[in-house]
Amino acid sequence: MPGQAEGAGGVGDREGRDAARSSDIETLRELIVGPTARRVEQIERRLEQPARVEDTARVLPDIIRESLREDADAAEEAARPLVEGAIRRSARKSPEALSDALFPVLGPAIRKSITHAIASMMQSLNQTLEHSFSARGLKWRFDAWRTGRPFAEVVLLNTLVYRVEQAFLIHRESGLLLRHVAMDESLGEDADVVSGMLTAVRDFARDAFDAEGSDEIESLRMGELELWVARGPNVLLALACRGKAPEALFARMQETVERIERRFGEELAAFEGDTAAFAGADDWLRALLESQRAGDEGGSPAKAVAAVAAVALALAAWMGYGWYWRGQWKDYVARVSAMPGVVVARASSGAPFELWGLRDPLADDPAGLLGRFGLDGKDVKLHWRPWQSLEPAFALRRARRLLQPPAGVEVTMRDGVLRLSGAARPDWIRRARMLAPALAGVRAVDDSALKAVDVRAELLARIRKRLTPPKGVELALAGPEGRYVLTARGEARSAWKAAAEAAVKAFPEVASYDDSRLIAVDEPARLLRLARKALRPPAGARLRVSRDLVLHVSGVASPAWKRKARERAAAVPYLAGYDDAGLHPPRHIPGDAEILAAAREMLKPPATVHLGVSQGVLTAQGFATAGWIRDARTRWRDIPGAKGWRDEALRDITPAWRALSRRVGARLVRYDIDSGQPKAGGERMLREVAEAVKQARRMRPDAVVRAVGLSQSRAERQKPRALAHARDACHRLEGLGVPAAACQPGFAPQSGSRRVSGVRFALLASGQAP
Amino acid sequence: MIRKKVCLLGAFGVGKTSLVRRFVSGIFSDKYLSTMGVKIDRKTVDADGREVGLMIWDIHGEEAFRKIPMSYLRGASGLMMVVDGTRPETLDVAAGIVRRVDDELGLAAPRVWLANKRDLADDWALPADAWAKLAGDAPRFETSALSGEHVDEAFLALARAMLA
């Protein structure tokens, strides 16, 4: 085509033609390859531009996912160098960032790993110790040497007695059992319920103890059976072990968990309850079921351990014991060294405990302190040499011991000066003045405050204190020292006199006691003397004072003297009682006059009765009450000398009196309240009363009438009116011939429904109650 | 075999434990309920030819001072909500539990609703509207743990719902 175009025209044309042709060609080319070229161009541009990154990013996850699906191992292998390199570079470049990122994972992992490592170590150490001393232990040592394995491992292999009986693979979130393998297949029946409950227990424990983050139950122990739990992000692996499984088992569990998480990650993520997908884990789980048996049970290694422990313990105890007692001894020696008056020269440091030193005899005995330190006198020897301590305290103690100061003397010490103060007997003072300056540790003696006591006055004071003489007794001490005469004079009871005589004997200084002028005031003889003087008994009376100080009067005396004697005896001091039961009146035949007088005195006849006597026979005439007559008829026999009683001429006034009394009592003089005067008929009533009273007074001159004004109520204000009425009645009776003295106005409140205003009357003998 | 975790929820004393006892014969004593707040039993049901192992978590009834621990509900494939047909107030408690389950766990597991104690016909006081509203589209049953009425059906319905 270009050849065609060139051969067709000249230069100008050619140029035009060329241009036209090229345009055609362009068009043609455009038609033929245009879209492709643009696409290529687009692709080129895209390849050059960074935009391709977006495209790659879009497909990269698919690529990785696809390659993992097709051949996971190859893909992982391919990615490994990249990941490793990146991590390595990151670790080199900014280790902080990486460690920060990994810390939440690594921290707990490291902590847990260390804990388990320590636990493992302790376990193997314990076993090593247990078995080092047995014959079997020696055999294991040989095995270790022969096989080139560490001894601890040999021990571990030979001794652990445990059995992993079941393994549970549990879906962590739901607690559903994924797989279960057991040594004894019959155990699997309730495995799914157990796994659920285990999950619940873990949740419960976590909630109950508010555990943080990753802290969860790792083991549960039920007696022989122990449940170990290892966990991954999605699964829990629980092993039921009988016996004591080694800690290393836990590490293997953890490995298994990790392996399962890796292998079944996808299935776990999509878990919908179908457990068949995890059948592939059964072999791994079964590998965990294992048992380990100890060799035949020989002699217990515990015995060897116990023996060694016992020896060690005994050694420690013995050492501790010795150490303890040395400490006690050391404390004791230090304490003794600090004691005043004691100087410790030397002491042994341990058993046998001995001590040498100086001790003032006045110092406390250091042996007394042994008990306080738990030491026994038998285990300890104390060697003392006597000496005298010049310390002031000891000088003072020595002075006191030598001088024996009596009560009242104070001995003190200051700057080597012994000071004596107080009061003492002259002979003690003399002795103290001689002895005190010679005492060791005493530089000078000051006795300026020491006073000599008056021996006689002091003795008398002591006697007084002892005898406590009553008021009226005077004690006196006379005579030269050593031959004192004690005199008591005055008056005292005989009891005191006897007690004083006995008490004086307690004073050897008193050579003799004179109480001849001490009057025993209550001596019977003295009292009798006094009584005689006071009573002046008539010739027939006898007086006697008994030991119990009762004055007995007996014999014959007039009743008048008897009365007086009783009064007079009361005035005699110290008499404890008076007895005149044995005193009788003189035998005497009374004359008529005497009889009459006695009769009058004894019978007290009323004025209306006239008494007479003739030859000892009493006669009574006149008026008397029945009661008086009855009395007189018996009582006349008591009248000394009376021989008979005649009362025919005596009239019994009682019936008449009663009639009059009734008559008077039946009268009621009504009063008008307004006028204060008797109402109609009152005058007649009053006349009748007056007549009755006058008649009564003829029988009994002491008869009186009581006019009782009746008040309307108990109220106090009613009283004056009632009394006024009564007075008015009396006044009117006087007008009718009743003496004013024979009418007693009074008043009384009324009770009952019928109340009147008026005066009632009552006839009384004088002295008789109304 | 398919295994599913099922939780029984409801107020205290609505009869959850009796329902479970009616449905299964368990190995754990009921004392776990009062101590740990949960007791687990298993029952295998045949749902349309498919065997389903139900792990039934009987969770202690909700009380004023004892809330249901939400951790027990994790991983549950089905919830059985139980109310007491004689005590309308237990509907409120159940509603409260459902609210907490939704808020705290966002658990979209199938549910069935049981109004228990149907045998106490005289005391029956289930408010129909509230009951229907509470259950929504979920299957509802009026059950009696005493007579066993509708108990198996309820568990079967839940098994079916979980497999769907």
Side-chain angles (χ1 to χ4, degrees):
Chain A
M1 202 155 38
Q4 269 183 343
E6 262 172 55
V11 175
D13 278 338
R14 243 168 96 178
E15 280 191 347
R17 273 196 312 271
D18 280 355
R21 203 182 294 155
S22 115
S23 153
D24 287 345
I25 287 165
E26 274 300 307
T27 307
L28 191 61
R29 206 169 66 167
E30 175 64 31
L31 282 171
I32 294 165
V33 299
T36 315
R38 270 201 300 281
R39 245 195 115 121
V40 168
E41 198 181 341
Q42 213 174 340
I43 288 165
E44 273 178 346
R45 213 171 31 242
R46 202 178 269 184
L47 283 173
E48 282 159 12
Q49 281 170 2
R52 72 194 160 105
V53 175
E54 289 167 19
D55 298 332
T56 317
R58 208 169 296 143
V59 296
L60 195 57
D62 292 335
I63 294 168
I64 294 171
R65 212 172 288 130
E66 184 60 22
S67 61
L68 278 172
R69 197 176 58 79
E70 275 183 0
D71 187 350
D73 287 349
E76 277 168 15
E77 190 52 46
R80 194 173 54 80
L82 180 71
V83 175
E84 281 177 3
I87 291 174
R88 205 172 291 131
R89 184 172 293 230
S90 167
R92 255 204 309 277
K93 212 172 162 191
S94 56
E96 294 83 8
L98 192 64
S99 71
D100 282 356
L102 285 176
F103 181 76
V105 185
L106 285 178
I110 291 168
R111 207 166 47 236
K112 196 178 288 177
S113 160
I114 288 172
T115 316
H116 279 295
I118 289 173
S120 300
M121 200 176 78
M122 285 311 293
Q123 210 175 32
S124 64
L125 186 70
N126 289 342
Q127 283 159 352
T128 307
L129 189 70
E130 268 178 34
H131 297 293
S132 290
F133 294 98
S134 66
R136 202 167 41 181
L138 292 174
K139 180 181 170 290
W140 290 338
R141 281 211 178 277
F142 176 72
D143 286 349
W145 170 76
R146 191 170 50 83
T147 56
R149 281 187 299 188
F151 176 63
E153 197 183 320
V154 174
V155 170
L156 207 67
L157 285 171
N158 278 288
T159 55
L160 286 179
V161 187
Y162 74 96
R163 200 162 96 114
V164 180
E165 292 182 336
Q166 301 183 61
F168 300 81
L169 185 65
I170 302 166
H171 186 244
R172 198 170 148 191
E173 191 184 28
S174 63
L176 291 174
L177 183 68
L178 298 174
R179 301 308 300 175
H180 174 251
V181 296
M183 278 197 164
D184 179 355
E185 288 302 330
S186 68
L187 288 171
E189 215 163 287
D190 294 312
D192 45 5
V193 184
V194 171
S195 85
M197 212 61 192
L198 177 63
T199 316
V201 168
R202 284 164 54 86
D203 288 341
F204 173 73
R206 238 162 76 116
D207 289 351
F209 299 109
D210 217 9
E212 305 250 324
S214 63
D215 296 343
E216 283 184 8
I217 288 178
E218 285 180 352
S219 71
L220 292 170
R221 177 173 276 283
M222 295 143 277
E224 269 274 277
L225 197 72
E226 196 169 14
L227 203 63
W228 291 34
V229 185
R231 68 187 163 92
N234 296 304
V235 298
L236 295 176
L237 175 58
L239 295 186
C241 310
R242 201 168 288 280
K244 183 120 182 74
E247 285 280 330
L249 182 63
F250 190 82
R252 285 179 53 207
M253 284 173 75
Q254 202 63 51
E255 279 168 26
T256 307
V257 167
E258 282 160 21
R259 209 184 296 169
I260 289 169
E261 288 275 359
R262 256 203 318 273
R263 168 66 183 77
F264 297 104
E266 213 167 295
E267 286 87 343
L268 285 169
F271 179 62
E272 278 287 349
D274 184 5
T275 57
F278 304 95
D282 282 2
D283 284 343
W284 295 341
L285 297 177
R286 212 163 278 128
L288 289 169
L289 296 184
E290 56 180 47
S291 63
Q292 197 78 53
R293 284 192 177 283
D296 51 315
E297 299 299 314
S300 169
K303 279 183 192 163
V305 173
V308 172
V311 169
L313 208 69
L315 194 71
W318 179 73
M319 284 167 70
Y321 184 81
W323 174 81
Y324 171 76
W325 287 115
R326 272 200 301 285
Q328 292 295 99
W329 172 248
K330 207 174 140 193
D331 291 348
Y332 173 73
V333 171
R335 178 65 199 272
V336 169
S337 305
M339 279 173 74
V342 174
V343 178
V344 174
R346 188 156 62 87
S348 65
S349 60
F353 299 132
E354 277 189 275
L355 187 149
W356 292 265
L358 305 172
R359 179 180 159 232
D360 189 309
L362 293 176
D364 295 334
D365 187 358
L369 281 173
L370 284 169
R372 239 199 268 175
F373 292 84
L375 296 163
D376 191 336
K378 278 180 268 181
D379 305 333
V380 172
K381 277 195 184 132
L382 306 174
H383 308 277
W384 297 116
R385 290 223 181 146
W387 75 305
Q388 280 199 344
S389 168
L390 296 185
E391 282 173 59
F394 279 86
L396 181 61
R397 211 180 282 183
R398 215 172 289 126
R400 285 210 179 110
R401 198 165 156 159
L402 183 72
L403 300 175
Q404 301 279 341
V409 173
E410 208 183 333
V411 182
T412 53
M413 183 96 178
R414 181 183 282 178
D415 302 330
V417 177
L418 189 72
R419 189 175 152 79
L420 305 172
S421 57
R425 297 166 58 91
D427 53 347
W428 185 86
I429 294 174
R430 268 198 306 281
R431 190 167 150 265
R433 279 186 182 145
M434 262 164 62
L435 290 174
L439 281 165
V442 173
R443 190 164 54 78
V445 177
D446 171 17
D447 59 3
S448 55
L450 196 60
K451 275 193 304 211
V453 291
D454 179 343
V455 179
R456 185 186 299 174
E458 187 260 351
L459 177 61
L460 188 58
R462 275 194 292 133
I463 291 172
R464 271 220 179 86
K465 200 173 167 192
R466 174 72 185 268
L467 267 53
T468 55
K471 214 168 145 190
V473 173
E474 214 176 293
L475 291 177
L477 204 56
E481 195 175 338
R483 293 174 53 77
Y484 290 122
V485 175
L486 180 66
T487 320
R489 62 172 74 182
E491 292 183 349
R493 284 175 175 271
S494 51
W496 183 84
K497 192 177 175 183
E501 196 174 349
V504 166
K505 295 197 169 77
F507 295 91
E509 304 94 322
V510 177
S512 64
Y513 174 54
D514 172 17
D515 62 355
S516 56
R517 273 182 289 175
L518 181 67
I519 298 158
V521 286
D522 54 357
E523 261 180 351
R526 176 172 175 273
L527 289 182
L528 186 59
R529 228 169 26 245
L530 290 175
R532 275 219 177 88
K533 219 163 157 187
L535 269 58
R536 292 194 297 280
R542 289 186 301 277
L543 301 186
R544 183 173 65 87
V545 174
S546 60
R547 275 188 175 282
D548 53 359
L549 307 186
V550 175
L551 177 60
H552 299 272
V553 184
S554 58
V556 177
S558 67
W561 182 83
K562 191 176 176 178
R563 260 198 316 280
K564 277 187 188 146
R566 201 180 273 267
E567 284 163 20
R568 286 171 184 161
V572 178
Y574 303 111
L575 272 185
Y578 180 74
D579 166 34
D580 58 1
L583 190 66
H584 302 291
R587 288 199 160 272
H588 168 71
I589 299 160
D592 282 349
E594 264 176 279
I595 292 171
L596 188 59
R600 284 208 178 104
E601 192 179 339
M602 285 179 69
L603 301 178
K604 294 197 172 53
T608 48
V609 172
H610 176 76
L611 282 182
V613 67
S614 167
Q615 311 241 310
V617 176
L618 286 159
T619 45
Q621 49 193 346
F623 302 97
T625 60
W628 185 87
I629 296 168
R630 201 170 49 243
D631 270 5
R633 279 178 184 167
T634 54
R635 290 190 63 189
W636 70 267
R637 292 176 202 280
D638 295 340
I639 298 164
K643 291 195 181 77
W645 173 263
R646 299 178 62 178
D647 60 3
E648 310 83 87
L650 191 62
R651 253 188 74 197
D652 177 6
I653 59 160
T654 304
W657 178 272
R658 277 191 189 141
L660 287 174
S661 187
R662 265 201 300 278
R663 201 190 298 167
V664 168
R667 301 291 176 265
L668 166 67
V669 178
R670 289 174 183 269
Y671 271 78
D672 184 68
I673 292 176
D674 299 325
S675 66
Q677 299 293 316
K679 287 188 177 171
E683 284 300 326
R684 187 173 51 83
M685 293 278 182
L686 284 165
R687 264 199 307 279
E688 283 169 12
V689 170
E691 217 42 54
V693 172
K694 279 188 276 183
Q695 218 176 317
R697 283 180 68 83
R698 276 197 288 278
M699 287 191 285
R700 293 196 59 169
D702 61 343
V704 294
V705 65
R706 187 157 172 79
V708 180
L710 301 174
S711 63
Q712 288 281 344
S713 73
R714 284 188 179 278
E716 195 69 12
R717 62 190 158 78
Q718 294 281 355
K719 183 176 158 184
R721 185 190 290 156
L723 206 52
H725 292 163
R727 286 204 181 104
D728 181 75
C730 277
H731 184 68
R732 285 172 196 273
L733 286 176
E734 195 183 351
L736 293 167
V738 177
C743 184
Q744 298 175 347
F747 83 101
Q750 292 180 98
S751 56
S753 53
R754 289 187 61 235
R755 294 181 179 170
V756 293
S757 180
V759 178
R760 281 192 182 284
F761 301 91
L763 190 61
L764 311 167
S766 92
Q768 203 178 329
Chain B
M1 184 170 66
I2 304 293
R3 285 198 172 94
K4 294 286 186 189
K5 173 174 174 177
V6 174
C7 291
L8 249 72
L9 298 171
F12 182 74
V14 296
K16 295 184 295 299
T17 304
S18 303
L19 284 169
V20 178
R21 210 180 287 135
R22 188 78 211 177
F23 188 64
V24 305
S25 50
I27 62 162
F28 287 114
S29 122
D30 289 349
K31 74 178 182 220
Y32 291 94
L33 255 181
S34 50
T35 50
M36 258 176 57
V38 67
K39 184 173 82 92
I40 299 165
D41 288 301
R42 175 199 50 210
K43 174 77 175 182
T44 306
V45 296
D46 188 320
D48 308 325
R50 291 177 73 186
E51 243 192 359
V52 184
L54 298 181
M55 302 307 301
I56 303 164
W57 288 49
D58 176 9
I59 296 171
H60 192 275
E62 178 130 316
E63 291 170 277
F65 298 104
R66 187 165 179 182
K67 294 281 180 207
I68 290 171
M70 284 294 145
S71 58
Y72 287 162
L73 272 68
R74 279 201 321 240
S77 304
L79 300 182
M80 188 166 265
M81 303 301 305
V82 187
V83 303
D84 184 343
T86 67
R87 288 189 292 147
E89 69 271 18
T90 57
L91 269 68
D92 300 335
V93 178
I97 295 171
V98 166
R99 219 169 15 251
R100 278 183 61 211
V101 170
D102 290 343
D103 292 353
E104 293 178 29
L105 293 175
L107 198 64
R111 290 156 199 183
V112 293
W113 286 82
L114 275 68
N116 196 29
K117 304 194 186 174
R118 191 67 192 91
D119 48 285
L120 298 173
D122 293 346
D123 299 328
W124 195 252
L126 187 68
D129 294 347
W131 177 230
K133 197 179 155 207
L134 188 61
D137 336 326
R140 330 194 272 276
F141 295 92
E142 294 184 359
T143 58
S144 166
L146 192 72
S147 67
E149 187 186 352
H150 294 142
V151 176
D152 289 353
E153 288 96 311
F155 279 98
L156 191 59
L158 185 60
R160 283 201 186 109
M162 288 189 295
L163 290 177

